[in-house]
Amino acid sequence: MALWGGRFTQAADKRFKDFNDSLRFDYRLAEQDIEGSIGWSKALVKVNVLTQEEQQQLEQALNELLIEVRSNPQAILQDEAEDIHSWVESKLIDKVGNLGKKLHTGRSRNDQVALDIKMWCKQRVLELQTSIRNLQCHLVQTAENTQDAVMPGYTHLQRAQPITFAHWCMAYVEMFDRDYTRLTDAHKRMNTCPLGSGALAGTAYAVDRETLARDLGFAFATRNSLDSVSDRDHIVELLSAASLSMAHLSRFAEDMIIFNSGEANFVELSDRVTSGSSLMPQKKNPDACELIRGKAGRVMGALTAMLMTLKGLPLAYNKDMQEDKEGIFDALDTWQDCVDMATFVLDELKVNVERTRESALKGYSNATELADYLVAKGVPFRDSHHIVGETVVYAIEKGKGLEDLTIPEFRQFSEVVGDDVYDILSLQSCLNKRCAKGGVSPLRVAEAIKEAKQRFNL
Ligand code: ARG
């Protein structure tokens, strides 16, 4: 029998029930629903709906249920209940009889589901932050080991200026840092408890909602009952944080795929995160990275779907909002899996230092250095840019690098070039000169690594 049977004379059609029921996915909120119910039972004592003894009996039964649920969450799926809230209530009634029927006094599934999903989100934020921090630590460690690995840095996927593999790693540490703090911000805003808002207008029992909020681990109670049961901002915010982080992960994956390609051959991904081809024996495919890149689309889709679902909804609760769960569950699972997989990809990554250096030497990535050299000799930057452009065209024609040109060759383009030019064209000089904060100079990169290690207690 459904919770709301009294008003009905006919049972719901099976087809409708299958369409309407949410237990097959919201069973994941069982722990939150039970904890919220314990909190509510305590609040009901203070307004004389339950005696102290009744509350204790309910709490004990709910705790038993919690243990059962933790040992086998999937068992819930065998039940016919409409949703997790009905399931918990019916199991409670099985355990304590009529007393169990008192628990729902003054509460609605609307404030209940709002509470459960918020509690679930808060928990997930902490788990995601742990995973993100772990990924950052792996990146910092990889950076520490690859400070000498000079490689080309790109813009437009054209070799631009030399960088180090370590500097590349530290760029991703920054991206994931913003993802981490975005979660902290979202957590702060979602830390308000909607329980005690009733169906929409507030509960008719004078419960102390601030104490209830604290009991359930929230900083405050929400301020408006209509908003409390209608608000899914925390889900949108998490989906948005997930989407942006997936964009970062996807760029990481794409860089890896390019670095691992036969053309670049900068890195070798471990056998443990690659797969072979069923036909071509020579292949070692970067599937882990490709899947991270691919899954970004699915997470971003969940954000769009949620926004579309919410955008035209009148206040307060509407059943449309049940659609929040599958999207957020899947998106956060996917996000966490991808963060963990990216960490794993770094685990046995080999950087081919000879190859990255060889590539950094090609592509005239020291051209900016030559321009700066001319500037130092008194040539205005615009002119020096032009002179170097012509010099590069000449060098390409001759099949030489800039550092391979002779002084007479340089002098065809500018009289001011002297023997001291060769030093500044070296990779080391290119790196060393980028010594302002945030630059690729090995000193700066070492500082950044040290600072990150302190921050992450590494
Ligand atoms: N399964 C519902 C959901 O996920 C719970 C709330 C039901 N409320 C209601 N008034 N039917 O949104």
Side-chain angles (χ1 to χ4, degrees):
M1 170 65 97
L3 290 174
W4 30 260
R7 159 88 167 70
F8 290 74
T9 48
Q10 266 191 310
D13 190 284
K14 163 107 173 54
R15 284 165 299 179
F16 166 70
K17 184 167 162 48
D18 289 347
F19 186 65
N20 186 53
D21 287 2
S22 52
L23 189 68
R24 72 189 155 79
F25 47 85
D26 66 14
Y27 79 98
R28 291 183 66 171
L29 299 175
E31 290 192 22
Q32 289 74 14
D33 203 78
I34 295 170
E35 279 162 22
S37 296
I38 294 174
W40 187 240
S41 71
K42 290 180 187 159
L44 288 182
V45 174
K46 293 183 203 143
V47 291
N48 303 319
V49 171
L50 294 176
T51 66
Q52 203 81 49
E53 295 70 46
E54 286 176 325
Q55 190 280 328
Q56 269 162 19
Q57 220 183 318
L58 285 176
E59 184 168 346
Q60 196 187 339
L62 285 164
N63 274 324
E64 273 171 35
L65 194 56
L66 192 58
I67 293 167
E68 287 162 29
V69 159
R70 283 190 178 142
S71 74
N72 186 6
Q74 305 268 337
I76 303 171
L77 294 170
Q78 307 309 320
D79 203 273
E80 287 287 290
E82 178 185 334
D83 56 26
I84 191 59
H85 325 295
S86 333
W87 185 84
V88 169
E89 193 171 334
S90 75
K91 291 294 145 198
L92 186 63
I93 294 168
D94 287 350
K95 282 185 189 291
V96 298
N98 278 341
L99 172 60
K101 296 182 182 168
K102 284 189 173 183
L103 179 64
H104 208 55
T105 313
R107 186 175 69 165
S108 158
R109 278 186 295 162
N110 297 351
D111 57 354
Q112 204 176 344
V113 72
L115 170 75
D116 293 0
I117 196 77
K118 251 188 180 177
M119 286 173 80
W120 186 88
C121 285
K122 280 177 60 186
Q123 173 65 32
R124 276 320 280 270
V125 163
L126 303 179
E127 290 165 19
L128 281 156
Q129 285 189 314
T130 305
S131 284
I132 292 172
R133 199 50 105 220
N134 190 29
L135 171 57
Q136 289 181 296
C137 289
H138 272 70
L139 281 163
V140 172
Q141 264 146 3
T142 309
E144 195 161 38
N145 299 329
T146 54
Q147 294 178 76
D148 297 330
V150 187
M151 70 173 186
Y154 297 88
T155 61
H156 314 272
L157 205 52
Q158 305 276 317
R159 286 183 205 129
Q161 289 172 349
I163 59 169
T164 54
F165 199 82
H167 198 52
W168 175 89
C169 288
M170 295 306 287
Y172 281 98
V173 171
E174 291 302 309
M175 284 178 243
F176 295 127
D177 222 51
R178 292 193 293 274
D179 295 340
Y180 186 99
T181 53
R182 234 184 302 284
L183 282 171
T184 308
D185 297 343
H187 189 274
K188 208 181 292 168
R189 254 185 310 281
M190 73 177 72
N191 206 6
T192 57
C193 179
L195 195 60
S197 298
L200 73 163
T203 182
Y205 297 82
V207 297
D208 176 356
R209 290 193 56 228
E210 291 299 344
T211 304
L212 175 61
R214 256 38 117 233
D215 257 9
L216 293 173
F218 287 88
F220 303 104
T222 52
R223 286 193 292 248
N224 179 289
S225 64
L226 270 185
D227 176 53
S228 304
V229 295
S230 318
D231 172 27
R232 293 295 182 273
D233 287 7
H234 39 290
I235 294 183
V236 175
E237 281 195 54
L238 284 189
L239 288 172
S240 162
S243 297
L244 190 42
S245 183
M246 285 302 297
H248 296 151
L249 286 161
S250 183
R251 295 180 82 167
F252 167 87
E254 173 62 5
D255 271 348
M256 276 294 175
I257 292 166
I258 294 174
F259 295 167
N260 185 63
S261 70
E263 279 65 30
N265 199 14
F266 290 175
V267 300
E268 188 182 342
L269 295 169
S270 153
D271 284 1
R272 293 161 70 200
V273 294
T274 48
S275 72
S277 154
S278 56
L279 177 71
M280 298 161 281
Q282 83 282 13
K283 298 251 311 226
K284 193 167 156 188
N285 298 325
D287 295 37
C289 292
E290 290 170 280
L291 276 171
I292 292 174
R293 189 178 58 184
K295 284 175 192 290
R298 158 173 176 177
V299 173
M300 292 166 191
L303 169 63
T304 311
M306 190 72 256
L307 285 169
M308 289 302 109
T309 296
L310 292 174
K311 79 178 232 334
L313 290 186
L315 293 188
Y317 178 82
N318 300 269
K319 197 58 171 269
D320 315 45
M321 287 155 73
Q322 180 167 287
E323 288 294 305
D324 59 359
K325 289 173 204 63
E326 285 163 291
I328 188 80
F329 290 162
D330 181 70
L332 297 198
D333 288 349
T334 304
W335 181 16
Q336 186 137 19
D337 282 353
C338 290
V339 174
D340 292 343
M341 190 45 62
T343 311
F344 194 36
V345 163
L346 287 168
D347 233 12
E348 285 181 11
L349 183 75
K350 283 203 203 94
V351 180
N352 187 346
V353 185
E354 288 77 45
R355 188 48 212 135
T356 54
R357 173 173 292 274
E358 188 188 317
S359 181
L361 283 167
K362 289 194 199 134
Y364 304 94
S365 56
N366 50 4
T368 317
E369 259 42 55
L370 181 57
D372 284 343
Y373 170 85
L374 297 178
V375 168
K377 301 259 171 183
V379 182
F381 184 75
R382 267 299 141 237
D383 294 341
S384 80
H385 186 281
H386 189 79
I387 292 166
V388 176
E390 288 177 337
T391 315
V392 167
V393 172
Y394 172 84
I396 291 171
E397 263 169 29
K398 297 279 164 196
K400 289 178 166 186
L402 288 175
E403 60 284 1
D404 303 323
L405 298 179
T406 61
I407 296 296
E409 283 179 307
F410 277 121
R411 292 219 169 130
Q412 293 171 45
F413 305 98
S414 173
E415 278 302 313
V416 302
V417 178
D419 273 340
D420 53 349
V421 75
Y422 295 108
D423 270 355
I424 67 102
L425 290 177
S426 72
L427 286 177
Q428 208 51 48
S429 153
C430 295
L431 296 177
N432 288 344
K433 282 183 75 185
R434 306 254 152 0
C435 61
K437 183 181 167 123
V440 73
S441 112
L443 273 176
R444 288 286 175 243
V445 174
E447 258 170 37
I449 292 171
K450 192 169 158 217
E451 187 273 331
K453 281 177 75 176
Q454 272 163 4
R455 215 149 42 92
F456 303 156
N457 292 321
L458 267 178

